[in-house]
Amino acid sequence: MANVSLKSIVKSYDGQTNVVDGIDLNIAEGEFVVLVGPSGCGKSTTLRMIAGLEDITAGTLSIGDCVVNHVEPKNRDIAMVFQSYALYPHMSVYKNMAFALQLRKTPKDEIDRRVKDAAAKLGITEYLDRKPKALSGGQRQRVALGRAIVRAPACFLFDEPLSNLDAKLRAETRAELKQLHQQLKTTSVYVTHDQEEAMTLGDRVVVMSGGHIQQAGTPLEVYGMPANRFVAGFIGMPAMNMIEGKAVQRDNGVGFVSDGIELPLTGKLAEHAKQAIGQKLGLGVRPEHLSLTSNDNNAPTINIDVQVVEMLGAMMDIYGTLANGQRILARTEARPVETNSELKLAIAIEKAHLFEPGTYGANLRCDPKGSH
Ligand SMILES: Nc1ncnc2c1ncn2[C@@H]1O[C@H](COP(=O)(O)OP(=O)(O)OP(=O)(O)O)[C@@H](O)[C@H]1O
Ligand SMILES: [Mg+2]
């Protein structure tokens, strides 16, 4: 096992634009880090640079204590698992898993022990004699995982390994992968565009956009204290509501106004808003922080026109609009609600955020000194 360190890593394919634009990331020994972001943000490129499958344009990449910028992929002691499985079709499952060890001239009984051990861990023992084409997608992905495990590398690299599986199998395999990491504790870097996968798998989630890291933190940190509008919108499902308006000073405190709506701000949020009176801001409220009733009678409320109600079972999603036309989505406990009616929703204002304007507008609660 080893730590992996990226210092000011840059990648340009055409010598003009940087698709990875100065990434700094330290992945601790044994840590499971997930790179997540929209299509084209540079996740696979970053992973492929760690693997040695792409040249690094600038910066320093270290695995363990060694700078590996110019080390061949096969000498980096990493194992990569791809979305496409990349199995050898003419070889049996056993052979597929044993192949890399045979190349390394590992003794036969040692290979046998490792292959059987990995197969047992992954529940594929009964398929060892089959060819990949006689397996389902989920079974093939297990073989691909097995092939990585038998090598006992310093680091696993995963590029969207579950995206070819159907939703149920994806969720199951995800849980198994997590369990596997708890057993093996091998340093892992995992790429996905699925925020839910990132949140459930990662010890740490690295949110990328436009070749930059927007935020790196535990799942709870990126959910609870998103550094900017991009992270706020990307992490969390359904996405955070953003009410555009500005902070105002009133005799009795600080408020947030947005065309005909005024909400009193309290606590830390009020303190931060005070520094930005009169400026354009977005009030970010997660759908799950809106409720039909509140235990706190002083909670500020908004009125929405209910357009659509989607029952989810215990919970429901209410789609509506504010008087000023802005769309609002609330996820609340399921209860009969009429469409085309007006509904009062309480805001858990202590969990709300204020953001500066723009795609990457900063969260006022995340000041650079790190105190919230
Ligand atoms: N071999 C290549 N040559 C030129 N440009 C490339 C190459 N590979 C990737 N790119 C570009 O680099 C950018 C980042 O691509 P990358 O594959 O890293 O994105 P990604 O975050 O993995 O996206 P996805 O979620 O779609 O897999 C994209 O704009 C892509 O078009
Ligand atoms: Mg990719």
Side-chain angles (χ1 to χ4, degrees):
M1 276 196 282
N3 65 310
V4 177
S5 151
L6 289 78
K7 283 207 188 83
S8 310
I9 293 286
V10 172
K11 176 68 184 182
S12 175
Y13 287 104
D14 59 6
Q16 288 172 358
T17 44
N18 294 342
V19 298
V20 172
D21 196 16
I23 285 205
D24 288 299
L25 183 65
N26 274 310
I27 300 159
E29 195 171 317
E31 194 178 19
F32 198 117
V33 164
V34 181
L35 308 183
V36 67
S39 186
C41 72
K43 306 178 294 292
S44 294
T45 300
T46 304
L47 199 72
R48 292 170 63 82
M49 284 192 282
I50 300 174
L53 302 173
E54 291 295 347
D55 290 337
I56 296 169
T57 307
T60 310
L61 174 73
S62 316
I63 300 179
D65 295 328
C66 305
V67 173
V68 295
N69 284 43
H70 302 292
V71 173
E72 289 279 308
K74 66 177 167 42
N75 296 328
R76 289 191 187 191
D77 199 12
I78 47 106
M80 188 149 169
V81 180
F82 300 91
Q83 175 180 353
S84 61
Y85 320 137
L87 300 174
Y88 301 109
H90 58 286
M91 290 184 191
S92 67
V93 167
Y94 186 100
K95 264 274 175 126
N96 262 286
M97 288 169 69
F99 190 62
L101 298 179
Q102 285 169 345
L103 286 184
R104 281 200 230 157
K105 310 253 180 302
T106 310
K108 239 185 163 154
D109 51 347
E110 169 78 9
I111 294 178
D112 194 58
R113 193 182 57 75
R114 287 213 214 170
V115 169
K116 287 186 174 151
D117 195 38
K121 277 201 177 81
L122 294 161
I124 52 173
T125 306
E126 59 186 295
Y127 311 122
L128 282 174
D129 295 329
R130 288 201 201 168
K131 297 271 172 60
K133 69 171 186 305
L135 298 175
S136 71
Q139 290 160 348
R140 281 182 215 179
Q141 194 50 283
R142 258 160 243 247
V143 178
L145 283 174
R147 200 172 46 175
I149 292 172
V150 292
R151 292 171 50 192
C155 179
F156 287 128
L157 304 176
F158 300 97
D159 196 348
E160 312 239 11
L162 307 183
S163 35
N164 282 353
L165 309 180
D166 68 44
K168 185 162 174 281
L169 196 57
R170 197 160 62 223
E172 282 169 17
T173 317
R174 187 173 76 195
E176 284 166 14
L177 206 58
K178 187 157 182 143
Q179 223 175 6
L180 203 63
H181 179 252
Q182 282 161 0
Q183 282 176 29
L184 301 174
K185 298 195 169 61
T186 307
T187 312
S188 301
V189 189
Y190 187 105
V191 161
T192 180
H193 62 269
D194 178 348
Q195 63 90 32
E196 186 181 314
E197 204 165 286
M199 297 286 278
T200 50
L201 273 175
D203 293 326
R204 201 146 53 104
V205 174
V206 177
V207 184
M208 289 179 65
S209 172
H212 294 272
I213 293 179
Q214 300 299 331
Q215 188 172 10
T218 64
L220 276 183
E221 280 165 358
V222 293
Y223 169 83
M225 201 53 72
N228 61 36
R229 283 194 192 224
F230 179 84
V231 177
F234 194 81
I235 298 288
M237 205 55 170
M240 187 184 276
N241 296 293
M242 196 64 74
I243 304 171
E244 301 297 340
K246 61 182 182 185
V248 288
Q249 183 72 56
R250 297 288 186 232
D251 292 344
N252 54 353
V254 185
F256 180 82
V257 293
S258 165
D259 283 326
I261 299 159
E262 176 151 355
L263 297 164
L265 299 178
T266 50
K268 287 273 176 203
L269 207 55
E271 276 175 42
H272 291 296
K274 236 184 226 166
Q275 314 300 318
I277 297 294
Q279 289 176 26
K280 279 191 181 167
L281 295 172
L283 179 71
V285 183
R286 293 204 181 276
E288 54 272 34
H289 297 149
L290 290 166
S291 57
L292 296 174
T293 52
S294 172
N295 297 330
D296 171 9
N297 287 333
N298 297 322
T301 58
I302 48 171
N303 290 323
I304 62 164
D305 269 327
V306 179
Q307 265 122 27
V308 175
V309 179
E310 285 180 355
M311 279 297 162
L312 304 170
M315 306 297 283
M316 65 181 176
D317 283 348
I318 307 171
Y319 293 80
T321 46
L322 293 171
N324 63 20
Q326 291 192 45
R327 287 170 181 283
I328 296 289
L329 170 55
R331 176 164 287 183
T332 69
E333 273 183 39
R335 199 183 306 161
V337 168
E338 277 183 40
T339 47
N340 299 318
S341 64
E342 199 179 64
L343 190 67
K344 189 182 283 243
L345 294 169
I347 303 180
I349 198 77
E350 72 286 356
K351 291 182 180 142
H353 303 272
L354 286 168
F355 296 94
E356 289 174 352
T359 312
Y360 299 106
N363 184 347
L364 297 188
R365 292 176 67 178
C366 293
D367 69 15
K369 290 174 222 88
S371 74
H372 303 313

